[in-house]
Amino acid sequence: MQVEVDPNEDTEWNDILRAHGIIPERPPSPSQVIDEAIERAREYQELHRLSDKSDSELSALEDEANNSSEDEFIAAYRRKRLQELTQLQIQRQKFGRVFPVSKPEYQKDVTDASKECFVLVHLSLQQNLQSKLLGGLFMRAAEKFGEVKFVDIPGSRAIEGYPDRNCPTLLVYKDTDVKKQYVTLGLIGGDGMRMEDLERILVDVGAVKENDSRLAENKRSKKRYDEDHDYDTDDEADLTKNKYGDDDDFDD
């Protein structure tokens, strides 16, 4: 005799059948789905609220938390933020210099290495002025962006018969592929190429974020902002005089 079973019924028999995989698990109730959605929204809102806070501000919020659950949430977020910052600092100190490579090392030090990070390659020519310029920029950029690997190899050694007129050539590797290629500096500043031009390439390929504080343009913008909002002592004296009057007024 065949017995019909309603899989949605909450019975002990159905629990046994579900445990043996005979009937499917009950779908979550609408109220459970709504509660989970509300909880995810709350967590997202909290994360968004905390994401722009400095470490000192997070510490202050942790001290001011009204209940244990809020205090625990802020503390956990702060620990996660510190771990991320520590990891980022380690990554930024990973390389820090330009690595000369030979052709036998190219596969390992460039192609394979690009699975883990961005690799910029300078196919150089020793007596070429533009190559000397790019080499100098590579040295500065390598110190500033330690998470990016900068590599130098003479063009004729990297590629047999590579024309001198194509040097310097700049290659950007990521995930074993060439993402960008510049033959000479004609399209990236020529003889007047600057650090900002190289940094723009790093931003365009995704090696460095647009808002990275290490970028030269961002540093200049911050300096201009600080100068615009920083009064020197003479300015402060003038403001004080305008507010309270000249010192002579107090003698009357």
Side-chain angles (χ1 to χ4, degrees), residues 190-245:
D191 295 344
M193 183 181 179
R194 302 178 302 168
M195 189 65 181
E196 289 89 331
D197 299 312
L198 183 54
E199 289 179 349
R200 174 47 52 187
I201 294 172
L202 292 172
V203 171
D204 288 344
V205 299
V208 176
K209 292 183 178 180
E210 184 80 42
N211 61 352
D212 195 304
S213 61
R214 296 171 295 175
L215 295 171
E217 180 58 34
N218 291 344
K219 283 188 175 181
R220 279 200 300 272
S221 297
K222 183 179 185 302
K223 183 179 179 182
R224 286 195 297 267
Y225 177 87
D226 291 342
E227 289 174 348
D228 290 343
H229 293 76
D230 182 32
Y231 301 106
D232 60 24
T233 53
D234 292 336
D235 292 332
E236 291 178 355
D238 290 341
L239 288 173
T240 303
K241 185 167 65 175
N242 290 336
K243 183 175 182 180
Y244 297 108

Side-chain angles (χ1 to χ4, degrees), residues 146-193:
E147 72 275 27
V148 179
K149 189 173 185 180
F150 291 82
V151 168
D152 182 286
I153 180 172
S156 59
R157 293 185 186 176
I159 304 170
E160 186 176 353
Y162 194 70
D164 288 353
R165 65 178 180 277
N166 288 353
C167 294
T169 292
L170 171 59
L171 306 174
V172 181
Y173 276 81
K174 185 67 175 77
D175 298 324
T176 72
D177 290 329
V178 177
K179 301 299 183 183
K180 284 280 187 179
Q181 175 177 311
Y182 299 92
V183 179
T184 77
L185 307 183
L187 297 178
I188 46 177
D191 295 344
M193 183 181 179

